[in-house]
Amino acid sequence: MEAVAGKVIEYIDEGVRFLIKKIKSCINFGENLEKLERRVKQLSDKAGDMKTQVENQERSRRKKRKQEVESWLNEVDQLKEELRLLKEEATRGKKNRGALKKLDETVADLKQRGDFGELVCDVYEREEYPMPVQPAQEETSKQNLEVVWTWLQDENVSSIGIYGMGGVGKTTLAKHIHNRLIDDHRYQVCWLTVSQGFSVKGLQDELAKFVKLDLSNEEDEHRRSAKLKGAFQKMNKMVIILDDVWDRLSLEKLGDPLGVEGYKLILTTRSYEVCRKMGCQKLLEVKTLNADDAWELFRKGLGFETQLSPDIERVAKSMAERCEGLPLGLITLAGSMRGVTDIREWRNALNEFPEDMESDVFKVLKYSYDRLRDTTMQECFLYCALYPEDDLILRDEIIERFIMEGLVKGNSREEEFNHGHTILNKLVKLCLLEGTVDDSEDDEDEVVRMHDLLREMALGITNDKPRYMVRAGKGPQLLEEQDWVSNLDRVSFYNSEIKRIPEGMAPNCPTLSTLILCNCDLTMIPGPFFQYMNNLQVLDLSDNSKLMDLPSSISNLESLRALSLRRCSGLKSVPPLGKLKNLRVLNVVETGIEEVPQGMENLVKLKFLDMGRTGLDELPKEILTKLPRLQYLFLPECVNAPVEDLASLELLEEFGGRFCDLHNFDKFMSSLHNYEKDLWFTLFVGQVYLDHDFDYCIRKHRRVIVEDYTIEAATSIFLPHGIDVLQISKCHGLSSCFVDNFLSRTTSSRGLNCRIIGCDEIEWIVNVPSGRDTTTDPHCIHFRILIVDRLRNLVGLCKGKIASHTFSGLTNLTIWHCNRMENLFPRAMLQDLKNLEMIDVRCCDVMEEIIGREEGEGSSQSSSSSTSTTADLPNLKHLTLSTLPELKSICEGKLMCDSVGYMEFYKCPKLKRLPFYTPTTNEHPFPSLRYMVVDDKNRWERLEWEQSHVKKTFFQKLYCYL
């Protein structure tokens, strides 16, 4: 019995222990579940912040979230759902410890993978533009081009060196190769201008920009190179063109592109030795032109409008022969003689032309400079040499400098800019400058460039009088007082890195008129530095963000005409300026100053004042009335623009500022008739929060930006005359129809660039009630660009009988995060969209169609095309459809868009058919199409096409995945 009792007791003890263990397990499970909930909450908060950050960056329209970021966010959402299910099971008594442990491991994994650095990537593939260059017509040039092209077709040739004397045409040949490669489509082409004084980091940055790699947080040269190589390995075939290489360049530091299969290198240099040291497999010497080709180039440079008699032609050929077949000399000399038809002037020119050329191109270039005969044009030409070698010089920027220097004349800024453009046009026409367009930004900017030989010639002239010291674009350097000779006129350290200015340095430069120390990484300027620069008229210290203080000696520069402290963000104050009564230009935009500089009321000659994006929140009372000559004024965004004071500025031509409410905005609009000239403006209403990418340039813009403002019911805002940009963001009290609140007096002849963001009341952009006809409404807005983002109640773009010109000039239509839109626009609207170049639709949860299948009231005109089975968007170049979960159709029937160059379909799971149709039957439909992007190979295979051979062509040539 005792044994039995013992066994019973033992079983009871085991049961108790099991029960206790079970209870403890339940308690532990509950505690672990609570810990898991907290960890998931932390992860969820991080995901929420990340999603907000991504969406903000995506609004730039050039960015989208990386696929790994999107996957991570989705996994966090999935984790939250699995946690919810686990908790539901726990409430029913099911303690799934295995699932809890697995979720715990998932949290740890997601936490570890959640540090991405960059969250977004560029949404578009890089656009590659042909470089402006005259067609190769000389036989020698054509032969050189074909030789290099043959080498490029050889898979065993990966590096080509092009060498020859300065001005012989190496860069021109490289430009022709670049453009042919772009047309060929087999290679991506990256052009890098190296020049003297290059920095490896700068070249790495240019390459990184091309391959969409962010190196901004990486300083180590070797790690930057490794990241570049990794990016190269992910890209298709590429040709890198290194122009104007002066010495051996380590390709390993540039990511070792020749170590990547399919990559090729072309370099141009004046030195055969550079080609040899860099291991070029094929070498081409570009030689001077023979007599026939030289004459052909010279004759073309004169322009065929320059009629040559037999006598003049004989003289002209004699001049051309003295250029020794050097293309740059021939082009520049011909430019200087263009339009001359008097035999006596030709003979005089030949008499003045140096006979002892001996292939000295500088004598030809100097001769062309001397023939300018206009000292202002000569001075403006020499001024361009203050910029770094091979720099693209924005026209508006250098004309601003001409104005600062007093080199251009006019009674207004408009006249001064016209004079400046006239001078630049003449220098371009005379081939002393190259004119081109900078395509690197959205808005194309006109630029000029100085050929490196012309710059060398200009610097040679400025060794004497005027005397320049130019160290622009150089690497780290220390200022040496002995370099600052007493007869200096102008000094430029533009875009250089100055390690430091020695303590106590005070250069004795009594004739110095211009000092450019912008973007030099300055941290300190010694107190006496400006002490002996009594004639200084232009002082540019822009873009030195680490500069904290200015020496008080600036206060004594009484000859100063221009002081630029632009983007010196560390600068908190400016020395007193009361003595600077000759000052015409004061630029303190994006500085940290918190008070108006002392004595500014004495600057009665001031014409240009920029105080945008500063810490200033108020202006001294009536200070603007004491500056009656102001032509350009940008006020701090925190200051409510004083309308009465502005009305006294009768010479104002460009204005930027904020009005706290529409009442003051309307008062200012009413006062505009007091201005004799058309005003360029950037006007803010409400509480405006500008990001770093905001373009502060007023010239060329007439903008109104209304943000975080409540508009009173039934208020209609008449937009200023000539407005070209309207941005409405986070406004309340709007009508359900956008154009009921914003009426146009007269928009720009190009049409309105309109952005509408986060305005919940808007249901329609244009909504005309039944029975009302707005086809002749003088106040109807006509759009050029329409960008809509986060209009939660937007139903559609238009409804009713609207004027056809409302959308006939539309080139860009972008719709993001509009979750009530079921279609983008009705078919009837198609006839008004002949100029549409871009459609970008994303994150619209219920959108089912792009072009509505049902006929709607979209235009005042009727058209048979609106009911036919073929739709036509003849100028459409870019189509992006992204994250549209309900999208089933782009359009019923066929869609013709032969101009399309980029198409992207991302997260559109219900899209089954692509309606694109081309009437051509050849092997290359859609000849402009270069990129076709989809997110899933299987989805691609399932898509049906209107023409099956089109799908096959895309798959072979253009198919790629996100």
Side-chain angles (χ1 to χ4, degrees):
M1 284 294 293
E2 288 183 7
V4 173
K7 286 284 186 185
V8 170
I9 293 170
E10 187 178 327
Y11 286 135
I12 292 173
D13 286 343
E14 286 181 8
V16 169
R17 282 196 297 271
F18 176 77
L19 185 60
I20 292 171
K21 185 177 179 182
K22 193 80 172 174
I23 293 170
K24 283 183 177 180
S25 176
C26 290
I27 294 171
N28 289 340
F29 182 89
E31 290 176 350
N32 290 338
L33 184 60
E34 288 180 6
K35 289 179 182 178
L36 178 64
E37 279 191 88
R38 288 196 294 271
R39 295 179 68 195
V40 171
K41 175 69 167 56
Q42 291 172 352
L43 202 61
S44 177
D45 290 344
K46 179 178 180 178
D49 292 340
M50 190 182 294
K51 193 170 184 180
T52 300
Q53 188 178 348
V54 165
E55 288 175 349
N56 288 337
Q57 293 179 22
E58 283 179 328
R59 287 183 202 117
S60 71
R61 297 183 300 110
R62 282 191 171 275
K63 302 284 186 182
K64 71 177 171 195
R65 65 194 69 188
K66 290 181 176 179
Q67 187 63 50
E68 60 178 343
V69 173
E70 177 72 8
S71 298
W72 189 87
L73 291 171
N74 290 338
E75 286 182 55
V76 172
D77 287 340
Q78 181 64 30
L79 173 69
K80 288 157 60 179
E81 176 63 18
E82 290 177 10
L83 176 63
R84 185 186 67 79
L85 294 174
L86 182 66
K87 288 173 63 179
E88 282 186 2
E89 288 181 352
T91 58
R92 295 195 296 268
K94 186 178 180 181
K95 308 292 190 292
N96 192 335
R97 293 169 185 80
L100 189 146
K101 183 180 178 183
K102 185 179 177 182
L103 290 185
D104 211 41
E105 291 170 351
T106 302
V107 170
D109 176 60
L110 286 171
K111 187 176 180 181
Q112 183 180 1
R113 289 164 43 210
D115 295 324
F116 296 101
E118 279 294 308
L119 301 176
V120 295
C121 58
D122 294 276
V123 67
Y124 309 136
E125 295 291 339
R126 181 183 176 89
E127 288 285 353
E128 293 168 344
Y129 297 94
M131 304 186 84
V133 62
Q134 291 293 327
Q137 294 179 342
E138 303 76 35
E139 195 59 37
T140 308
S141 302
K142 292 179 181 177
Q143 290 173 0
N144 286 338
L145 180 57
E146 292 308 318
V147 166
V148 176
W149 190 252
T150 301
W151 288 341
L152 282 171
Q153 311 314 304
D154 188 341
E155 293 183 0
N156 297 316
V157 176
S158 59
S159 56
I160 300 169
I162 301 171
Y163 69 98
M165 65 183 293
V168 80
K170 303 180 297 296
T171 298
T172 299
L173 174 59
K175 286 181 178 179
H176 282 298
I177 296 165
H178 172 275
N179 293 352
R180 189 184 280 196
L181 283 166
I182 286 177
D183 291 338
D184 188 63
H185 296 313
R186 281 180 291 175
Y187 286 89
Q188 296 179 80
V189 196
C190 178
W191 179 287
L192 295 178
T193 301
V194 181
S195 300
Q196 295 187 77
F198 72 91
S199 74
V200 169
K201 184 175 183 293
L203 293 178
Q204 288 176 334
D205 286 339
E206 287 298 311
L207 279 169
K209 191 188 303 180
F210 187 89
V211 299
K212 311 299 184 189
L213 175 66
D214 181 20
L215 291 178
S216 58
N217 295 321
E218 184 59 76
E219 292 297 323
D220 183 79
E221 198 174 85
H222 302 292
R223 284 199 293 268
R224 289 164 66 90
S225 174
K227 288 184 176 182
L228 275 171
K229 183 159 188 175
F232 290 157
Q233 290 169 337
K234 296 176 183 177
M235 294 183 67
N236 294 323
K237 298 178 179 179
M238 188 160 85
V239 175
I240 297 174
I241 300 176
L242 299 176
D243 184 45
D244 197 18
V245 181
W246 283 75
D247 206 346
R248 183 185 178 279
L249 177 62
S250 170
L251 294 178
E252 288 76 15
K253 293 181 179 180
L254 300 184
D256 188 22
L258 295 186
V260 180
E261 186 178 354
Y263 275 51
K264 293 179 183 283
L265 174 74
I266 300 172
L267 66 87
T268 74
T269 176
R270 298 186 194 180
S271 167
Y272 165 82
E273 285 301 311
V274 169
C275 294
R276 187 183 62 80
K277 289 177 182 177
M278 292 190 63
C280 293
Q281 294 168 289
K282 295 290 184 180
L283 299 179
L284 174 70
E285 181 183 6
V286 181
K287 299 179 181 179
T288 55
L289 301 177
N290 61 42
D292 290 340
D293 283 350
W295 170 246
E296 182 181 352
L297 182 61
F298 186 80
R299 185 67 187 86
K300 187 174 67 175
L302 289 173
F304 289 100
E305 70 278 5
T306 306
Q307 299 297 318
L308 300 182
S309 67
D311 288 342
I312 290 177
E313 186 169 314
R314 279 193 292 273
V315 176
K317 283 186 174 180
S318 295
M319 291 184 71
E321 286 170 5
R322 295 190 187 181
C323 292
E324 301 284 343
L326 200 63
L328 179 63
L330 289 159
I331 291 168
T332 307
L333 180 61
S336 71
M337 298 302 297
R338 188 176 294 146
V340 177
T341 57
D342 188 329
I343 182 64
R344 292 163 294 190
E345 190 171 346
W346 273 96
R347 285 172 177 159
N348 181 64
L350 180 63
N351 184 56
E352 292 178 347
F353 198 73
E355 292 186 14
D356 58 334
M357 278 294 300
E358 298 179 359
S359 300
D360 188 350
V361 68
F362 289 110
K363 292 180 180 178
V364 182
L365 303 181
K366 175 69 163 54
Y367 175 78
S368 299
Y369 165 82
D370 290 337
R371 275 190 58 80
L372 288 173
R373 307 274 196 257
D374 182 322
T375 55
T376 298
M377 284 186 63
Q378 287 179 330
E379 196 169 357
C380 289
F381 168 75
L382 295 178
Y383 200 94
C384 294
L386 295 173
Y387 283 81
E389 183 180 345
D390 287 313
D391 212 24
L392 291 177
I393 306 169
L394 288 170
R395 274 177 168 254
D396 281 359
E397 179 189 317
I398 198 167
I399 292 173
E400 287 280 11
R401 291 187 180 277
F402 291 165
I403 294 171
M404 290 182 193
E405 301 278 354
L407 293 175
V408 294
K409 306 298 180 185
N411 295 319
S412 66
R413 276 176 64 81
E414 190 69 28
E415 290 181 12
E416 288 171 331
F417 267 88
N418 290 341
H419 188 198
H421 280 294
T422 300
I423 288 173
L424 293 178
N425 289 343
K426 287 181 179 178
L427 291 173
V428 170
K429 184 179 180 182
L430 295 172
C431 301
L432 290 168
L433 292 178
E434 299 173 14
T436 183
V437 170
D438 180 11
D439 293 313
S440 62
E441 302 297 334
D442 285 344
D443 297 323
E444 294 181 353
D445 290 307
E446 292 181 283
V447 297
V448 293
R449 176 184 172 272
M450 186 178 244
H451 191 284
D452 54 0
L453 278 185
L454 282 159
R455 184 173 182 270
E456 286 180 46
M457 182 269 291
L459 293 177
I461 293 172
T462 60
N463 279 332
D464 183 21
K465 193 170 182 179
R467 185 74 181 269
Y468 285 13
M469 179 169 69
V470 181
R471 305 282 174 79
K474 302 292 185 181
Q477 53 193 296
L478 179 68
L479 298 196
E480 302 285 353
E481 193 155 351
Q482 63 265 26
D483 295 334
W484 297 67
V485 294
S486 61
N487 62 339
L488 280 173
D489 284 283
R490 293 190 170 107
V491 170
S492 172
F493 285 82
Y494 193 110
N495 284 10
S496 296
E497 184 182 342
I498 296 175
K499 289 182 177 179
R500 66 183 180 88
I501 303 176
E503 189 68 37
M505 182 176 174
N508 183 19
C509 299
T511 62
L512 185 65
S513 66
T514 301
L515 177 56
I516 300 174
L517 290 168
C518 64
N519 197 18
C520 290
D521 208 25
L522 287 173
T523 57
M524 182 275 296
I525 301 176
F529 187 73
F530 301 109
Q531 187 172 345
Y532 304 116
M533 300 181 184
N534 297 326
N535 188 51
L536 197 61
Q537 296 176 32
V538 174
L539 176 58
D540 187 352
L541 298 171
S542 303
D543 294 294
N544 288 297
S545 59
K546 300 175 186 176
L547 188 61
M548 309 292 286
D549 298 293
L550 296 177
S552 59
S553 54
I554 284 179
S555 299
N556 298 318
L557 299 176
E558 296 184 19
S559 297
L560 208 60
R561 293 171 54 95
L563 175 61
S564 180
L565 304 171
R566 182 184 56 186
R567 292 192 291 270
C568 292
S569 53
L571 200 61
K572 302 302 179 185
S573 64
V574 175
L577 303 179
K579 293 182 183 179
L580 311 187
K581 295 183 180 179
N582 281 308
L583 202 65
R584 270 79 165 174
V585 174
L586 177 60
N587 192 338
V588 292
V589 66
E590 293 191 60
T591 61
I593 66 169
E594 297 173 352
E595 293 182 356
V596 168
Q598 185 181 334
M600 199 170 80
E601 66 277 5
N602 297 334
L603 308 181
V604 293
K605 293 184 180 180
L606 203 63
K607 294 183 177 182
F608 180 107
L609 176 60
D610 195 336
M611 298 186 289
R613 191 171 260 166
T614 60
L616 291 163
D617 54 10
E618 63 177 350
L619 295 177
K621 193 173 183 181
E622 298 182 349
I623 191 169
L624 296 181
T625 63
K626 297 173 183 177
L627 307 174
R629 299 192 187 183
L630 281 177
Q631 298 171 340
Y632 177 108
L633 173 63
F634 208 126
L635 293 175
E637 291 77 12
C638 292
V639 170
N640 182 32
V643 179
E644 292 78 9
D645 294 355
L646 291 172
S648 69
L649 302 178
E650 298 180 358
L651 302 179
L652 198 62
E653 298 174 56
E654 300 171 47
F655 172 68
R658 183 183 75 89
F659 301 96
C660 62
D661 54 38
L662 284 174
H663 174 68
N664 283 311
F665 172 80
D666 288 337
K667 280 177 65 178
F668 179 73
M669 289 294 98
S670 300
S671 70
L672 285 184
H673 69 271
N674 295 332
Y675 297 103
E676 295 181 5
K677 311 169 190 67
D678 283 337
L679 191 72
W680 299 104
F681 53 79
T682 295
L683 307 178
F684 307 107
V685 180
Q687 299 297 321
V688 178
Y689 309 95
L690 300 175
D691 59 34
H692 264 299
D693 294 331
F694 182 75
D695 177 10
Y696 268 79
C697 176
I698 300 177
R699 172 162 289 273
K700 300 180 182 176
H701 288 304
R702 292 187 173 96
R703 301 183 286 197
V704 173
I705 298 168
V706 186
E707 186 169 345
D708 197 6
Y709 185 75
T710 299
I711 297 172
E712 295 179 9
T715 299
S716 290
I717 302 166
F718 273 94
L719 301 171
H721 173 77
I723 182 175
D724 53 31
V725 176
L726 173 64
Q727 180 169 315
I728 310 298
S729 178
K730 294 182 288 187
C731 288
H732 309 284
L734 292 165
S735 301
S736 62
C737 173
F738 172 74
V739 298
D740 285 351
N741 281 115
F742 297 93
L743 303 177
S744 169
R745 285 190 172 95
T746 309
T747 55
S748 161
S749 58
R750 296 187 303 163
L752 188 67
N753 178 338
C754 185
R755 290 172 167 81
I756 314 168
I757 303 167
C759 301
D760 291 345
E761 288 93 344
I762 297 174
E763 296 180 6
W764 298 93
I765 303 301
V766 185
N767 183 3
V768 181
S770 178
R772 183 173 154 204
D773 188 348
T774 66
T775 55
T776 59
D777 187 345
H779 299 311
C780 182
I781 292 174
H782 59 282
F783 296 95
R784 176 171 61 93
I785 295 174
L786 179 59
I787 296 173
V788 173
D789 186 8
R790 285 170 291 135
L791 302 194
R792 293 194 301 181
N793 290 301
L794 185 70
V795 176
L797 294 181
C798 62
K799 183 180 180 182
K801 196 173 183 181
I802 65 170
S804 61
H805 67 259
T806 302
F807 294 107
S808 63
L810 189 68
T811 61
N812 177 337
L813 178 59
T814 296
I815 309 289
W816 284 19
H817 300 283
C818 295
N819 291 330
R820 286 190 62 195
M821 289 187 75
E822 295 183 2
N823 63 59
L824 186 61
F825 51 79
R827 179 180 287 272
M829 189 175 159
L830 268 174
Q831 60 194 335
D832 297 334
L833 299 177
K834 300 302 182 187
N835 291 306
L836 189 61
E837 297 179 4
M838 177 176 179
I839 295 176
D840 188 335
V841 186
R842 306 185 199 196
C843 304
C844 298
D845 290 351
V846 300
M847 185 167 290
E848 297 182 1
E849 299 171 297
I850 299 302
I851 303 171
R853 73 182 71 192
E854 294 182 4
E855 182 81 9
E857 288 185 317
S859 172
S860 60
Q861 304 171 357
S862 61
S863 169
S864 60
S865 66
S866 64
T867 57
S868 71
T869 58
T870 301
D872 188 14
L873 291 172
N875 286 300
L876 188 68
K877 297 175 182 176
H878 185 114
L879 175 64
T880 291
L881 304 176
S882 176
T883 319
L884 306 174
E886 298 299 322
L887 184 68
K888 300 180 179 69
S889 168
I890 293 175
C891 75
E892 292 293 306
K894 304 171 183 176
L895 179 61
M896 294 177 60
C897 44
D898 285 355
S899 298
V900 69
Y902 178 96
M903 288 197 285
E904 176 182 337
F905 306 100
Y906 179 69
K907 287 196 173 181
C908 302
K910 295 185 179 181
L911 185 63
K912 306 299 183 187
R913 171 181 170 272
L914 298 183
F916 306 112
Y917 171 83
T918 177
T920 61
T921 57
N922 59 36
E923 295 181 359
H924 301 288
F926 300 104
S928 301
L929 189 64
R930 296 172 63 190
Y931 298 106
M932 175 79 174
V933 184
V934 295
D935 59 332
D936 185 274
K937 182 176 180 180
N938 294 328
R939 190 172 300 149
W940 164 270
E941 298 291 351
R942 291 195 300 270
L943 281 172
E944 297 176 6
W945 282 72
E946 182 66 33
Q947 293 167 293
S948 59
H949 73 287
V950 173
K951 179 176 182 178
K952 180 180 178 182
T953 300
F954 284 155
F955 185 80
Q956 291 174 341
K957 297 282 187 181
L958 304 161
Y959 180 58
C960 56
Y961 305 107
L962 288 174

